[in-house]
Amino acid sequence: MPIPVPPHLDLPSKTGGRKVRLRRAFRSRKALRGLTQWVVDRAIPMAVLLAALWFFAARYDGGGEVYRVFTLLDEPEGHPLLWIASAIGWVAVPAIIGGAAGHVITQRIDRVKKQPSNRLFRRRSLKQRLTPPGVIDDLRPYRYGTTSQQAFVDAFVRVAHRNDWARAQDHWEVYLRDTMSTQQYADLDRHECLRQARNVALIALRVSALSGDGHCIVCDRRR
């Protein structure tokens, strides 16, 4: 039997917790484009694993020997970690560097005659180029925000999620994360991508919540 829609919107908790804040920041990475997003998604985790491999292999045979094996100056001998370091240096590193360089070159060539109309005549300062994207909004301040924000959380939290603020926040982030990954946002910069995705989400999720007995698009897809 479906849970009835509460007549009133509950107050949100005072704190979202460090875990939720980190989750919001990590999911916001989808506003990044191309190589930048790949660095956050893939390169940083691979660098952490490589550093761990280097650390443990160096404890066995010294950092200098690991370097020589990794750069293929010496053959690996003895410990299995040296063989793994040699394999990574032989296969993974050239493939990653070549792939990244190829991606950058391809993107530059494609942009010569494919300038998106929404980027015409704009001037971007160095600060705008280096500023990281914003973070997906925390829904709790919406409870005390503008009239449109209050109307949104009333529909999305109270109606669609039966006053479950934690679940509503999670699905709000998932919707924005996956929306920013679609093709229609591919040509937008990191700030415009998040802004437009948020504006679309505010409309789409509210309309979905107010249709029928109240629905959440993410809830429906996950059933």
Side-chain angles (χ1 to χ4, degrees):
M1 184 177 180
I3 301 174
V5 177
H8 304 289
L9 177 64
D10 287 348
L11 296 177
S13 60
K14 293 184 180 180
T15 59
R18 181 179 299 179
K19 180 180 177 181
V20 175
R21 292 194 295 271
L22 291 175
R23 186 186 69 192
R24 285 170 47 220
F26 183 69
R27 287 175 172 175
S28 301
R29 76 194 189 283
K30 292 301 182 181
L32 299 170
R33 298 175 58 197
L35 184 62
T36 311
Q37 186 182 140
W38 179 85
V39 168
V40 176
D41 270 350
R42 299 289 185 268
I44 292 179
M46 285 190 292
V48 171
L49 292 175
L50 182 59
L53 172 64
W54 191 292
F55 173 78
F56 288 108
R59 293 180 62 185
Y60 168 75
D61 206 11
E65 182 61 26
V66 176
Y67 171 79
R68 296 183 65 83
V69 168
F70 185 78
T71 55
L72 307 182
L73 296 177
D74 290 342
E75 295 182 0
E77 294 180 0
H79 202 278
L81 289 177
L82 296 178
W83 287 92
I84 296 175
S86 177
I88 292 176
W90 181 54
V91 178
V93 173
I96 293 171
I97 295 175
H103 171 80
V104 172
I105 294 172
T106 301
Q107 289 293 316
R108 292 299 180 185
I109 293 175
D110 289 343
R111 288 177 186 172
V112 172
K113 292 293 185 179
K114 293 182 180 180
Q115 180 76 351
S117 59
N118 60 347
R119 296 177 60 193
L120 294 176
F121 319 121
R122 289 188 178 184
R123 176 181 295 173
R124 295 178 61 197
S125 64
L126 181 62
K127 180 180 179 181
Q128 289 174 319
R129 293 176 183 273
L130 298 180
T131 301
V135 179
I136 295 174
D137 289 348
D138 184 353
L139 291 180
R140 292 177 299 115
Y142 280 29
R143 177 67 178 79
Y144 313 101
T146 64
T147 302
S148 60
Q149 289 175 338
Q150 293 181 27
F152 174 75
V153 293
D154 182 74
F156 190 63
V157 179
R158 179 180 66 86
V159 178
H161 292 95
R162 296 351 186 221
N163 275 333
D164 188 341
W165 280 89
R167 190 155 156 258
Q169 177 69 40
D170 178 46
H171 288 184
W172 161 253
E173 296 168 15
V174 168
Y175 184 88
L176 280 174
R177 178 199 65 189
D178 291 352
T179 299
M180 290 188 295
S181 300
T182 57
Q183 185 61 37
Q184 60 183 323
Y185 296 95
D187 293 326
L188 300 179
D189 64 50
R190 63 190 70 176
H191 308 288
E192 187 69 14
C193 177
L194 180 58
R195 188 184 69 83
Q196 288 199 21
R198 181 178 61 242
N199 293 340
V200 170
L202 289 172
I203 298 173
L205 295 178
R206 183 165 182 255
V207 170
S208 175
L210 295 177
S211 62
D213 295 330
H215 294 279
C216 166
I217 297 174
V218 179
C219 291
D220 292 343
R221 292 292 178 88
R222 291 187 170 187
R223 288 175 181 170

